[in-house]
Amino acid sequence: MSLNQNLQEKYPHLELSVLKLSEAKKDNESFRIDSEFFKKEYLKNEEKIKININLGSISSKICNGSTPTNGNFERLGIPFFRSQDFNILDTMPQQFISHEFHNQIIRSKVKYKDILIAVVGATLGQIGFVRKDIVEANINQNIARIRIIDNNFNPYFIFIFLSSYFGQFQIKRLATQTAQEYINNIQVSKIKIPILPMSFQQEIEKMVKDSHKALEESKALYKKAEETLYLELGLDPIDPLKSIEAKNQKNLNTSIRSLKESFLKTGRLDSEYYQEKYEEIENKIKNYKNGFCKLKDLIDELSGGFAFSSKDYQDNGELLLIRINNIKNATLDLSNVIYLKNEAYSLSPRDKIKKGDILISMSGSIGLSCVVREDITAMTNQRILKISIKNFNSDVLVLILNSFICKMQFERIGTGGVQTNLSSVDMQNILIPKIDLKIQEKISKYIEESFSLRKKSKELLDNAKIKVEQEIENLRN
């Protein structure tokens, strides 16, 4: 009986791995001795990638982006990716930087077919792919950019492999287990890539391209929904603020207020709060032909999330924990979800999610919202407002909440320094135009068709991952 078997029988409640010193040193230049690095699951599955090459050998120099200051951001400009802005299905930035700053950080510019890996924190291991519709863009410091330069390896295949089980377990294994998980560029370069026939890689490329085509069609339909909303409100769909400025023929970023009109009325002294653009946007909503209401007038039930302890977290399970980074623009992203112990449900039953609920972020990327479109067993973490609504279409309301007219309202009432925060009370007081029911129906139809195509896109990518994983399993057999 081997030493491994002997110890496992003696201590059945423990996972044990016994290795020779030479085996422990293999691909381990920093000589890690933590048990996580030598998990049986990792060792077993690494053996399956028999014929391989390191990622660093087939790519140009792997690099990270930079950390911009508030002065580098613009309302429109160069798309700027953060790790929370992408996953295997969709890679779309929510922030923009100035052209000047973009040209200062040349090394981290991205281009078509670049692969992006989130390298730190809650989004560690998220994989993004730069599609051809992203003409110019840049990345922040929490992302590693991979650019494949070896013609024997297809970027689409590498993208799917890194998203597959065999890519993800390597990323998790190589990550430094500190207070916040982190994988550096040297470690990224050591990820083992299987050497598979180009004909197979091209099959994967076709599946990914078909997925991207469905996603682009989905986005075009969602864009139609947005355009319908803006036109109904009398705004320019391309640049709503510019259309308001043009109508008023003045700079809306300034305002002169007396003490009585400012602090004594609102309790706010920051100049940003009193810019004319916010007043003009509110006036636009108040003058909508069908009237307006406050968000709280549409709410049937609400909760503000619960501060679950990390002690309740686990890698797998039945009960999901929805955090702010899971809320994207109109979509709920479960690709990097955390699980809770089942008993955590009793800590705050009102924060359990049900199909049809609307989730709104109250910190960081404030005001981002989505509809829960499927039945899931999940809880909302702190700083997420969960609402169920009445007398309004949920998809249309989410479109409005994510639109320019609500983003500006959220921006105005947001507080905080490094991280912007919203209070649930202030959020409930934002103004919502009572969109005509026929227009709501038209918008809703676009959105439903959009999400149907989005589902098709995801299924194609999931099938591509399964195909890659099966091919690797077959190589061993």
Side-chain angles (χ1 to χ4, degrees):
M1 182 181 290
S2 70
L3 179 58
N4 245 326
Q5 291 173 315
N6 192 15
L7 287 171
Q8 195 67 75
E9 286 187 7
K10 190 173 181 180
Y11 305 103
H13 58 293
L14 298 176
E15 179 182 309
L16 297 165
S17 296
V18 179
L19 297 134
K20 295 177 182 178
L21 181 61
S22 59
E23 294 173 322
K25 285 183 175 181
K26 184 181 177 183
D27 297 323
N28 187 14
E29 291 181 4
S30 58
F31 198 39
R32 285 177 57 175
I33 57 173
D34 53 295
S35 59
E36 183 73 17
F37 190 73
F38 298 103
K39 285 177 68 172
K40 283 186 176 180
E41 175 192 3
Y42 294 162
L43 297 174
K44 177 184 176 182
N45 285 293
E46 193 170 77
E47 288 178 5
K48 295 179 181 178
I49 313 175
K50 282 290 186 182
I51 306 174
N52 63 72
I53 189 169
N54 286 352
L55 181 58
S57 301
I58 61 173
S59 63
S60 60
K61 185 177 180 180
I62 297 169
C63 69
N64 303 103
S66 300
T67 308
T69 63
N70 288 336
N72 299 130
F73 289 113
E74 292 188 351
R75 186 168 53 83
L76 294 173
I78 300 296
F80 185 72
F81 288 107
R82 303 162 300 165
S83 56
Q84 62 265 44
D85 292 334
F86 64 82
N87 56 41
I88 183 174
L89 178 62
D90 200 4
T91 302
M92 188 56 60
Q94 300 295 327
Q95 289 189 328
F96 300 89
I97 56 173
S98 65
H99 286 75
E100 181 183 6
F101 184 64
H102 174 61
N103 290 323
Q104 289 173 3
I105 48 175
I106 298 172
R107 66 184 181 86
S108 57
K109 288 183 176 182
V110 301
K111 65 179 185 178
Y112 178 40
K113 296 184 184 180
D114 280 351
I115 300 162
L116 309 178
I117 304 179
V119 295
V120 64
T123 57
L124 177 77
Q126 292 270 54
I127 309 297
F129 189 87
V130 181
R131 300 190 304 275
K132 60 184 177 182
D133 55 312
I134 303 292
V135 180
E136 274 194 297
N138 219 302
I139 57 175
N140 78 356
Q141 75 282 1
N142 295 329
I143 299 171
R145 187 203 68 200
I146 314 297
R147 184 169 293 162
I148 304 302
I149 56 174
D150 189 328
N151 292 330
N152 293 310
F153 292 87
N154 186 306
Y156 292 92
F157 163 70
I158 301 298
F159 161 59
I160 291 296
F161 171 77
L162 291 173
S163 305
S164 74
Y165 171 77
F166 290 100
Q168 288 294 299
F169 92 73
Q170 291 188 76
I171 292 170
K172 290 176 182 176
R173 186 188 185 202
L174 291 167
T176 303
Q177 304 293 317
T178 58
Q180 189 175 45
E181 284 188 308
Y182 175 78
I183 180 169
N184 62 40
N185 291 345
I186 294 175
Q187 292 165 322
V188 170
S189 70
K190 291 182 178 179
I191 294 173
K192 293 180 173 64
I193 305 297
I195 300 175
L196 297 175
M198 181 53 70
S199 58
F200 176 80
Q201 294 186 46
Q202 288 171 341
E203 283 183 51
I204 300 302
E205 176 181 351
K206 184 179 184 308
M207 295 175 78
V208 175
K209 284 184 173 179
D210 286 347
S211 169
H212 286 173
K213 182 181 177 182
L215 186 61
E216 289 310 307
E217 290 173 356
S218 167
K219 288 185 174 184
L221 283 166
Y222 203 85
K223 193 73 176 175
K224 280 188 177 180
E226 289 180 325
E227 289 173 355
T228 304
L229 172 66
Y230 285 131
L231 291 172
E232 174 67 11
L233 296 173
L235 295 168
D236 180 356
I238 298 174
D239 193 343
L241 181 59
K242 191 173 182 180
S243 63
I244 293 176
E245 287 179 336
K247 184 177 180 180
N248 287 275
Q249 297 183 335
K250 61 180 179 179
N251 185 347
L252 299 182
N253 292 322
T254 61
S255 180
I256 299 174
R257 302 290 178 91
S258 66
L259 183 62
K260 183 179 179 180
E261 294 171 320
S262 56
F263 179 72
L264 295 180
K265 182 179 180 181
T266 66
R268 297 281 294 259
L269 273 175
D270 48 308
S271 58
E272 173 75 15
Y273 184 85
Y274 299 100
Q275 290 183 21
E276 287 288 342
K277 61 184 178 184
Y278 299 124
E279 294 292 336
E280 292 299 330
I281 290 163
E282 287 194 5
N283 288 337
K284 193 73 176 176
I285 299 170
K286 289 176 180 177
N287 292 326
Y288 175 59
K289 61 186 178 183
N290 290 320
F292 70 97
C293 64
K294 292 185 177 181
L295 179 59
K296 64 183 178 183
D297 298 325
L298 303 176
I299 294 175
D300 195 24
E301 295 179 353
L302 85 162
S303 67
F306 185 80
F308 291 98
S309 169
S310 58
K311 295 178 182 178
D312 295 316
Y313 294 179
Q314 51 189 37
D315 293 335
N316 294 289
E318 299 174 353
L319 185 60
L320 285 67
L321 175 63
I322 304 303
R323 299 170 294 168
I324 287 176
N325 66 285
N326 297 119
I327 302 174
K328 308 300 183 185
N329 189 12
T331 60
L332 182 61
D333 174 21
L334 301 180
S335 61
N336 198 31
V337 74
I338 279 179
Y339 295 86
L340 292 169
K341 296 175 182 176
N342 287 339
E343 50 266 32
Y345 169 74
S346 60
L347 295 174
S348 186
R350 72 194 189 107
D351 288 304
K352 186 178 180 185
I353 290 171
K354 62 180 182 295
K355 185 177 179 180
D357 282 343
I358 293 175
L359 309 180
I360 312 173
S361 62
M362 295 194 288
S363 291
S365 299
I366 54 173
L368 272 183
S369 67
C370 67
V371 178
V372 179
R373 310 189 74 83
E374 298 177 357
D375 286 313
I376 57 174
T377 305
M379 309 290 289
T380 50
N381 202 25
Q382 60 183 333
R383 308 299 301 151
I384 294 176
L385 183 66
K386 176 179 72 71
I387 62 174
S388 60
I389 64 168
K390 56 190 177 184
N391 304 324
F392 213 95
N393 183 284
S394 296
D395 281 328
V396 177
L397 181 58
V398 163
L399 179 65
I400 293 171
L401 291 172
N402 287 324
S403 74
F404 162 78
I405 64 170
C406 282
K407 280 182 179 178
M408 290 292 100
Q409 292 185 74
F410 288 138
E411 181 182 294
R412 186 184 197 188
I413 61 177
T415 60
V418 177
Q419 178 170 266
T420 308
N421 296 292
L422 293 171
S423 78
S424 61
V425 174
D426 286 342
M427 290 176 76
Q428 292 179 66
N429 284 320
I430 67 165
L431 306 182
I432 305 293
K434 292 182 178 180
I435 302 299
D436 177 85
L437 291 178
K438 288 185 178 179
I439 299 297
Q440 283 197 49
E441 187 178 338
K442 182 179 180 181
I443 291 172
S444 178
K445 187 176 180 181
Y446 284 139
I447 294 173
E448 287 174 8
E449 291 175 1
S450 171
F451 273 94
S452 178
L453 283 165
R454 190 178 183 86
K455 184 178 180 181
K456 176 184 175 182
S457 176
K458 185 178 185 303
E459 286 173 351
L460 283 163
L461 287 182
D462 287 343
N463 290 338
K465 281 198 296 183
I466 292 169
K467 195 173 183 71
V468 167
E469 289 165 357
Q470 288 176 340
E471 186 71 11
I472 293 170
E473 291 284 356
N474 290 339
L475 286 174
R476 182 170 173 81
N477 297 331

PDB file of all heavy atoms in Angstrom, residues 147-159:
ATOM      1  N   ARG A 147      -2.258  38.699 -25.857  1.00  0.00           N
ATOM      2  CA  ARG A 147      -2.320  38.873 -27.317  1.00  0.00           C
ATOM      3  C   ARG A 147      -1.567  37.706 -27.959  1.00  0.00           C
ATOM      4  O   ARG A 147      -0.335  37.616 -27.870  1.00  0.00           O
ATOM      5  CB  ARG A 147      -1.720  40.208 -27.718  1.00  0.00           C
ATOM      6  CG  ARG A 147      -1.824  40.533 -29.210  1.00  0.00           C
ATOM      7  CD  ARG A 147      -1.455  41.986 -29.467  1.00  0.00           C
ATOM      8  NE  ARG A 147      -2.436  42.884 -28.869  1.00  0.00           N
ATOM      9  CZ  ARG A 147      -2.204  44.185 -28.620  1.00  0.00           C
ATOM     10  NH1 ARG A 147      -1.024  44.713 -28.937  1.00  0.00           N
ATOM     11  NH2 ARG A 147      -3.143  44.942 -28.075  1.00  0.00           N
ATOM     12  N   ILE A 148      -2.293  36.797 -28.599  1.00  0.00           N
ATOM     13  CA  ILE A 148      -1.693  35.598 -29.198  1.00  0.00           C
ATOM     14  C   ILE A 148      -0.944  35.977 -30.478  1.00  0.00           C
ATOM     15  O   ILE A 148      -1.502  36.620 -31.372  1.00  0.00           O
ATOM     16  CB  ILE A 148      -2.770  34.541 -29.509  1.00  0.00           C
ATOM     17  CG1 ILE A 148      -3.566  34.186 -28.244  1.00  0.00           C
ATOM     18  CG2 ILE A 148      -2.138  33.288 -30.107  1.00  0.00           C
ATOM     19  CD1 ILE A 148      -2.736  33.675 -27.099  1.00  0.00           C
ATOM     20  N   ILE A 149       0.336  35.543 -30.568  1.00  0.00           N
ATOM     21  CA  ILE A 149       1.159  35.887 -31.737  1.00  0.00           C
ATOM     22  C   ILE A 149       1.645  34.640 -32.481  1.00  0.00           C
ATOM     23  O   ILE A 149       2.232  34.752 -33.551  1.00  0.00           O
ATOM     24  CB  ILE A 149       2.376  36.751 -31.335  1.00  0.00           C
ATOM     25  CG1 ILE A 149       3.219  36.037 -30.266  1.00  0.00           C
ATOM     26  CG2 ILE A 149       1.924  38.117 -30.834  1.00  0.00           C
ATOM     27  CD1 ILE A 149       4.513  36.761 -29.922  1.00  0.00           C
ATOM     28  N   ASP A 150       1.393  33.463 -31.908  1.00  0.00           N
ATOM     29  CA  ASP A 150       1.794  32.202 -32.552  1.00  0.00           C
ATOM     30  C   ASP A 150       0.651  31.721 -33.456  1.00  0.00           C
ATOM     31  O   ASP A 150      -0.455  31.445 -32.983  1.00  0.00           O
ATOM     32  CB  ASP A 150       2.100  31.156 -31.471  1.00  0.00           C
ATOM     33  CG  ASP A 150       2.730  29.891 -32.038  1.00  0.00           C
ATOM     34  OD1 ASP A 150       2.400  29.526 -33.183  1.00  0.00           O
ATOM     35  OD2 ASP A 150       3.535  29.256 -31.334  1.00  0.00           O
ATOM     36  N   ASN A 151       0.923  31.596 -34.757  1.00  0.00           N
ATOM     37  CA  ASN A 151      -0.113  31.224 -35.723  1.00  0.00           C
ATOM     38  C   ASN A 151      -0.623  29.797 -35.544  1.00  0.00           C
ATOM     39  O   ASN A 151      -1.607  29.401 -36.182  1.00  0.00           O
ATOM     40  CB  ASN A 151       0.400  31.400 -37.155  1.00  0.00           C
ATOM     41  CG  ASN A 151       0.611  32.866 -37.507  1.00  0.00           C
ATOM     42  OD1 ASN A 151      -0.090  33.736 -36.988  1.00  0.00           O
ATOM     43  ND2 ASN A 151       1.564  33.149 -38.374  1.00  0.00           N
ATOM     44  N   ASN A 152       0.040  29.011 -34.708  1.00  0.00           N
ATOM     45  CA  ASN A 152      -0.416  27.647 -34.451  1.00  0.00           C
ATOM     46  C   ASN A 152      -1.511  27.602 -33.391  1.00  0.00           C
ATOM     47  O   ASN A 152      -2.029  26.519 -33.088  1.00  0.00           O
ATOM     48  CB  ASN A 152       0.757  26.773 -34.002  1.00  0.00           C
ATOM     49  CG  ASN A 152       1.780  26.566 -35.098  1.00  0.00           C
ATOM     50  OD1 ASN A 152       1.419  26.197 -36.221  1.00  0.00           O
ATOM     51  ND2 ASN A 152       3.039  26.819 -34.792  1.00  0.00           N
ATOM     52  N   PHE A 153      -1.847  28.782 -32.846  1.00  0.00           N
ATOM     53  CA  PHE A 153      -2.872  28.834 -31.805  1.00  0.00           C
ATOM     54  C   PHE A 153      -3.895  29.907 -32.150  1.00  0.00           C
ATOM     55  O   PHE A 153      -3.552  31.051 -32.446  1.00  0.00           O
ATOM     56  CB  PHE A 153      -2.239  29.117 -30.438  1.00  0.00           C
ATOM     57  CG  PHE A 153      -1.401  27.966 -29.947  1.00  0.00           C
ATOM     58  CD1 PHE A 153      -0.065  27.870 -30.302  1.00  0.00           C
ATOM     59  CD2 PHE A 153      -1.960  26.963 -29.174  1.00  0.00           C
ATOM     60  CE1 PHE A 153       0.711  26.795 -29.894  1.00  0.00           C
ATOM     61  CE2 PHE A 153      -1.202  25.890 -28.749  1.00  0.00           C
ATOM     62  CZ  PHE A 153       0.139  25.804 -29.105  1.00  0.00           C
ATOM     63  N   ASN A 154      -5.135  29.490 -32.129  1.00  0.00           N
ATOM     64  CA  ASN A 154      -6.253  30.346 -32.500  1.00  0.00           C
ATOM     65  C   ASN A 154      -6.738  31.124 -31.264  1.00  0.00           C
ATOM     66  O   ASN A 154      -7.060  30.510 -30.243  1.00  0.00           O
ATOM     67  CB  ASN A 154      -7.387  29.459 -33.045  1.00  0.00           C
ATOM     68  CG  ASN A 154      -8.541  30.249 -33.600  1.00  0.00           C
ATOM     69  OD1 ASN A 154      -9.090  31.095 -32.927  1.00  0.00           O
ATOM     70  ND2 ASN A 154      -8.919  29.941 -34.833  1.00  0.00           N
ATOM     71  N   PRO A 155      -6.790  32.467 -31.324  1.00  0.00           N
ATOM     72  CA  PRO A 155      -7.217  33.258 -30.154  1.00  0.00           C
ATOM     73  C   PRO A 155      -8.605  32.867 -29.632  1.00  0.00           C
ATOM     74  O   PRO A 155      -8.845  32.900 -28.425  1.00  0.00           O
ATOM     75  CB  PRO A 155      -7.217  34.699 -30.677  1.00  0.00           C
ATOM     76  CG  PRO A 155      -6.281  34.679 -31.838  1.00  0.00           C
ATOM     77  CD  PRO A 155      -6.411  33.320 -32.455  1.00  0.00           C
ATOM     78  N   TYR A 156      -9.514  32.503 -30.541  1.00  0.00           N
ATOM     79  CA  TYR A 156     -10.858  32.094 -30.116  1.00  0.00           C
ATOM     80  C   TYR A 156     -10.793  30.818 -29.282  1.00  0.00           C
ATOM     81  O   TYR A 156     -11.500  30.663 -28.284  1.00  0.00           O
ATOM     82  CB  TYR A 156     -11.757  31.859 -31.339  1.00  0.00           C
ATOM     83  CG  TYR A 156     -12.091  33.118 -32.110  1.00  0.00           C
ATOM     84  CD1 TYR A 156     -11.309  33.531 -33.181  1.00  0.00           C
ATOM     85  CD2 TYR A 156     -13.201  33.885 -31.764  1.00  0.00           C
ATOM     86  CE1 TYR A 156     -11.626  34.694 -33.897  1.00  0.00           C
ATOM     87  CE2 TYR A 156     -13.530  35.041 -32.474  1.00  0.00           C
ATOM     88  CZ  TYR A 156     -12.732  35.430 -33.528  1.00  0.00           C
ATOM     89  OH  TYR A 156     -13.051  36.573 -34.228  1.00  0.00           O
ATOM     90  N   PHE A 157      -9.942  29.887 -29.708  1.00  0.00           N
ATOM     91  CA  PHE A 157      -9.762  28.639 -28.956  1.00  0.00           C
ATOM     92  C   PHE A 157      -9.146  28.919 -27.592  1.00  0.00           C
ATOM     93  O   PHE A 157      -9.598  28.376 -26.565  1.00  0.00           O
ATOM     94  CB  PHE A 157      -8.877  27.669 -29.750  1.00  0.00           C
ATOM     95  CG  PHE A 157      -8.307  26.570 -28.905  1.00  0.00           C
ATOM     96  CD1 PHE A 157      -9.123  25.570 -28.397  1.00  0.00           C
ATOM     97  CD2 PHE A 157      -6.954  26.551 -28.587  1.00  0.00           C
ATOM     98  CE1 PHE A 157      -8.602  24.557 -27.590  1.00  0.00           C
ATOM     99  CE2 PHE A 157      -6.422  25.553 -27.792  1.00  0.00           C
ATOM    100  CZ  PHE A 157      -7.252  24.551 -27.289  1.00  0.00           C
ATOM    101  N   ILE A 158      -8.119  29.774 -27.546  1.00  0.00           N
ATOM    102  CA  ILE A 158      -7.470  30.105 -26.268  1.00  0.00           C
ATOM    103  C   ILE A 158      -8.479  30.748 -25.321  1.00  0.00           C
ATOM    104  O   ILE A 158      -8.525  30.440 -24.121  1.00  0.00           O
ATOM    105  CB  ILE A 158      -6.265  31.054 -26.480  1.00  0.00           C
ATOM    106  CG1 ILE A 158      -5.230  30.423 -27.413  1.00  0.00           C
ATOM    107  CG2 ILE A 158      -5.628  31.410 -25.141  1.00  0.00           C
ATOM    108  CD1 ILE A 158      -4.604  29.152 -26.915  1.00  0.00           C
ATOM    109  N   PHE A 159      -9.310  31.621 -25.851  1.00  0.00           N
ATOM    110  CA  PHE A 159     -10.357  32.281 -25.064  1.00  0.00           C
ATOM    111  C   PHE A 159     -11.287  31.257 -24.408  1.00  0.00           C
ATOM    112  O   PHE A 159     -11.571  31.318 -23.209  1.00  0.00           O
ATOM    113  CB  PHE A 159     -11.127  33.233 -25.988  1.00  0.00           C
ATOM    114  CG  PHE A 159     -12.472  33.666 -25.505  1.00  0.00           C
ATOM    115  CD1 PHE A 159     -12.621  34.346 -24.303  1.00  0.00           C
ATOM    116  CD2 PHE A 159     -13.611  33.408 -26.261  1.00  0.00           C
ATOM    117  CE1 PHE A 159     -13.878  34.763 -23.869  1.00  0.00           C
ATOM    118  CE2 PHE A 159     -14.858  33.813 -25.832  1.00  0.00           C
ATOM    119  CZ  PHE A 159     -14.991  34.491 -24.626  1.00  0.00           C
TER     120      PHE A 159
END
